[in-house]
Amino acid sequence: MAFLQLLVQLFISFILLQSKHCLSSNQPPIVLALRTQKHRTPISTPRLFSTTSKTTDKLLFHHNVTLTVSLTAGTPLQNITMVLDTGSELSWLHCKKEPNFNSIFNPLASKTYTKIPCSSPTCETRTRDLPLPVSCDPAKLCHFIISYADASSVEGNLAFETFRVGSVTGPATVFGCMDSGFSSNSEEDAKTTGLMGMNRGSLSFVNQMGFRKFSYCISDRDSSGVLLLGEASFSWLKPLNYTPLVEMSTPLPYFDRVAYSVQLEGIRVSDKVLSLPKSVFVPDHTGAGQTMVDSGTQFTFLLGPVYSALKQEFLLQTKGVLRVLNEPRYVFQGAMDLCYLIEPTRAALPNLPVVNLMFRGAEMSVSGQRLLYRVPGEVRGKDSVWCFTFGNSDSLGIESFVIGHHQQQNVWMEYDLEKSRIGFAEVRCDLAGQRLGLDV
């Protein structure tokens, strides 16, 4: 029986490789609606980062907005909704019915669902980039756990299943079927079926589906955006500016080699370039200090010296334009300590200095409402509290730069795995959705 299971796994792996080639050659792009799902209370996502104690630790990122896509899985098809996350590798779905879950995937109802034994090559070798090692459960199935920094966790077994995106049914895809555990955000978790891991790892959704390029565009005007799998070649899209992905030929203990890591080289506020040595942006000999582009994190976090310089310059250039919230103990989401008081009757934010993130070979401009975030439920008298959307990595205990999705609003973001680069260009994402035939 074990030998037969091994043959089945090898056959599925062969089909997967063949299907990847078929999907990536001359396949027209697949366009999906990308929704920004707002949460009444901040939810959390786990991240593995180098910490200030030079140990890899799980840290909790709180956010009020997640990006979600709808697709189908299984045979017959089941509707699922997944959080888009370029900072994770393994995709997973809730597979056990809970009283408050609106959406689960039922593996027992699918003819194409295949369990993965722990003796299979998939379990033994392809899981090496996952944050935690897999194990063998009593039924000798490949078992894994996703652990959160607040002591909650969810766990389940690895399995093969087919996913359908647009009109294309992909190959047998490895995913996690979550059937136990405890989450501190069960109310919000119930709104989605699971998570779509989109990093550079071999088990990421985009790699398993065989797409060597994907793009997304997040609108700031409504809850709609675009996720495009494949080549984006449109006359209305400006030429993209590209920055290369940082490659590490040798493994470093605190460098995530499957993250979308780019090189931040400086920051400019209006015409003023922050006076910082370039060395503060470069990963050290352990790999700590890398810059990651992450759709699963809402805001952007900078290492302490860089954050302090940006904060002081932004304060200087907005003096007399914005009223600072003078509450030293108020820190939004544990890392954002520059906040302002703004009248809720104001039709629009005042003119603000543009912050330019200077990457190797390309710049990303952050302006207007991408610079400030209105904190839900926070008021002082008649004023609303708005916070600067850049936070201090040191306050979270991490030694990484993280570029979150709030700063990526109204920017066409292209992830080119074939040429190891990320491209971006400013665009009205609500109009892009309309041009691509989405009902926005």
Side-chain angles (χ1 to χ4, degrees), residues 216 241-243 262 264 266-269 292-294 300 354-367 370-371 390 403-415 422-426:
Y216 58 71
N241 296 312
Y242 288 97
T243 184
V262 295
L264 183 64
I267 297 177
R268 188 173 68 251
V269 185
M292 293 172 278
V293 183
D294 185 6
T300 291
V354 177
V355 175
N356 288 279
L357 302 176
M358 304 162 65
F359 299 106
R360 181 174 296 162
E363 291 190 9
M364 177 184 289
S365 295
V366 183
S367 60
R370 286 187 287 160
L371 291 166
F390 292 83
I403 311 300
H405 65 72
H406 187 84
Q407 277 74 14
Q408 301 171 36
Q409 290 177 349
N410 284 329
V411 177
W412 187 274
M413 298 289 301
E414 179 184 274
Y415 294 74
I422 291 180
F424 40 85
E426 292 192 3

Side-chain angles (χ1 to χ4, degrees), residues 8-23 160 162 170-172 208:
V8 170
Q9 293 299 322
L10 290 173
F11 176 73
I12 289 175
S13 299
F14 173 77
I15 295 298
L16 189 150
L17 290 172
Q18 295 302 310
S19 300
K20 281 180 69 172
H21 176 74
C22 294
L23 278 176
F160 283 106
T162 55
Q208 291 195 77

Side-chain angles (χ1 to χ4, degrees), residues 399-435:
E399 293 195 55
S400 301
F401 297 92
V402 184
I403 311 300
H405 65 72
H406 187 84
Q407 277 74 14
Q408 301 171 36
Q409 290 177 349
N410 284 329
V411 177
W412 187 274
M413 298 289 301
E414 179 184 274
Y415 294 74
D416 187 344
L417 283 76
E418 192 69 46
K419 296 183 179 179
S420 295
R421 61 183 185 173
I422 291 180
F424 40 85
E426 292 192 3
V427 66
R428 277 274 303 275
C429 292
D430 56 333
L431 297 181
Q434 292 176 19
R435 290 186 175 109

Side-chain angles (χ1 to χ4, degrees), residues 298-331:
Q298 185 174 0
F299 300 111
T300 291
F301 299 92
L302 308 171
L303 290 179
V306 178
Y307 172 75
S308 296
L310 174 60
K311 174 184 173 181
Q312 291 306 314
E313 186 60 34
F314 194 80
L315 271 169
L316 181 65
Q317 295 195 26
T318 55
K319 189 174 182 179
V321 177
L322 293 172
R323 287 182 295 139
V324 177
L325 173 67
N326 289 311
E327 294 182 18
R329 294 190 175 184
Y330 182 78
V331 182

Side-chain angles (χ1 to χ4, degrees), residues 203-372:
L203 291 181
S204 76
F205 189 83
V206 67
N207 267 325
Q208 291 195 77
M209 290 292 290
F211 290 99
R212 304 303 296 154
K213 187 180 291 186
F214 70 95
S215 308
Y216 58 71
C217 199
I218 308 163
S219 175
D220 68 338
R221 292 175 173 262
D222 50 34
S223 64
S224 299
V226 175
L227 170 64
L228 185 143
L229 300 171
E231 184 73 41
S233 180
F234 308 110
S235 59
W236 46 264
L237 185 61
K238 298 177 183 177
L240 303 184
N241 296 312
Y242 288 97
T243 184
L245 293 173
V246 176
E247 307 283 355
M248 285 291 177
S249 55
T250 57
L252 297 176
Y254 307 115
F255 189 92
D256 185 351
R257 293 202 296 169
V258 294
Y260 292 103
S261 184
V262 295
Q263 187 56 63
L264 183 64
E265 295 185 331
I267 297 177
R268 188 173 68 251
V269 185
S270 296
D271 295 326
K272 175 70 179 297
V273 177
L274 300 184
S275 182
L276 291 165
K278 285 199 172 184
S279 60
V280 303
F281 299 101
V282 179
D284 65 17
H285 66 283
T286 69
Q290 72 183 116
T291 300
M292 293 172 278
V293 183
D294 185 6
S295 71
T297 300
Q298 185 174 0
F299 300 111
T300 291
F301 299 92
L302 308 171
L303 290 179
V306 178
Y307 172 75
S308 296
L310 174 60
K311 174 184 173 181
Q312 291 306 314
E313 186 60 34
F314 194 80
L315 271 169
L316 181 65
Q317 295 195 26
T318 55
K319 189 174 182 179
V321 177
L322 293 172
R323 287 182 295 139
V324 177
L325 173 67
N326 289 311
E327 294 182 18
R329 294 190 175 184
Y330 182 78
V331 182
F332 179 50
Q333 294 191 4
M336 303 156 79
D337 60 0
L338 177 55
C339 299
Y340 298 93
L341 297 173
I342 298 178
E343 307 92 333
T345 54
R346 227 191 144 97
L349 291 176
N351 288 330
L352 300 174
V354 177
V355 175
N356 288 279
L357 302 176
M358 304 162 65
F359 299 106
R360 181 174 296 162
E363 291 190 9
M364 177 184 289
S365 295
V366 183
S367 60
Q369 199 153 322
R370 286 187 287 160
L371 291 166
L372 298 179

Side-chain angles (χ1 to χ4, degrees), residues 84-305:
L84 181 76
D85 189 0
T86 61
S88 295
E89 178 173 2
L90 185 68
S91 300
W92 57 264
L93 298 172
H94 291 296
C95 291
K96 183 179 179 181
K97 182 64 177 175
E98 298 289 345
N100 62 330
F101 279 11
N102 299 328
S103 174
I104 69 161
F105 174 76
N106 182 4
L108 298 178
S110 174
K111 299 175 183 177
T112 43
Y113 177 83
T114 306
K115 298 175 183 178
I116 296 178
C118 46
S119 60
S120 71
T122 297
C123 188
E124 291 181 343
T125 61
R126 296 188 64 199
T127 58
R128 63 186 59 173
D129 289 329
L130 297 183
L132 293 174
V134 296
S135 62
C136 200
D137 73 2
K140 297 187 177 180
L141 297 175
C142 197
H143 188 81
F144 78 104
I145 298 175
I146 295 179
S147 180
Y148 291 76
D150 61 353
S152 65
S153 65
V154 285
E155 56 187 289
N157 291 325
L158 292 188
F160 283 106
E161 186 53 281
T162 55
F163 290 80
R164 186 174 179 85
V165 286
S167 60
V168 172
T169 300
T173 299
V174 179
F175 81 108
C177 199
M178 316 298 280
D179 57 13
S180 63
F182 164 77
S183 171
S184 61
N185 304 296
S186 57
E187 180 182 348
E188 301 301 342
D189 286 349
K191 296 179 180 178
T192 59
T193 321
L195 179 140
M196 180 184 287
M198 296 285 280
N199 73 7
R200 304 169 71 192
S202 67
L203 291 181
S204 76
F205 189 83
V206 67
N207 267 325
Q208 291 195 77
M209 290 292 290
F211 290 99
R212 304 303 296 154
K213 187 180 291 186
F214 70 95
S215 308
Y216 58 71
C217 199
I218 308 163
S219 175
D220 68 338
R221 292 175 173 262
D222 50 34
S223 64
S224 299
V226 175
L227 170 64
L228 185 143
L229 300 171
E231 184 73 41
S233 180
F234 308 110
S235 59
W236 46 264
L237 185 61
K238 298 177 183 177
L240 303 184
N241 296 312
Y242 288 97
T243 184
L245 293 173
V246 176
E247 307 283 355
M248 285 291 177
S249 55
T250 57
L252 297 176
Y254 307 115
F255 189 92
D256 185 351
R257 293 202 296 169
V258 294
Y260 292 103
S261 184
V262 295
Q263 187 56 63
L264 183 64
E265 295 185 331
I267 297 177
R268 188 173 68 251
V269 185
S270 296
D271 295 326
K272 175 70 179 297
V273 177
L274 300 184
S275 182
L276 291 165
K278 285 199 172 184
S279 60
V280 303
F281 299 101
V282 179
D284 65 17
H285 66 283
T286 69
Q290 72 183 116
T291 300
M292 293 172 278
V293 183
D294 185 6
S295 71
T297 300
Q298 185 174 0
F299 300 111
T300 291
F301 299 92
L302 308 171
L303 290 179

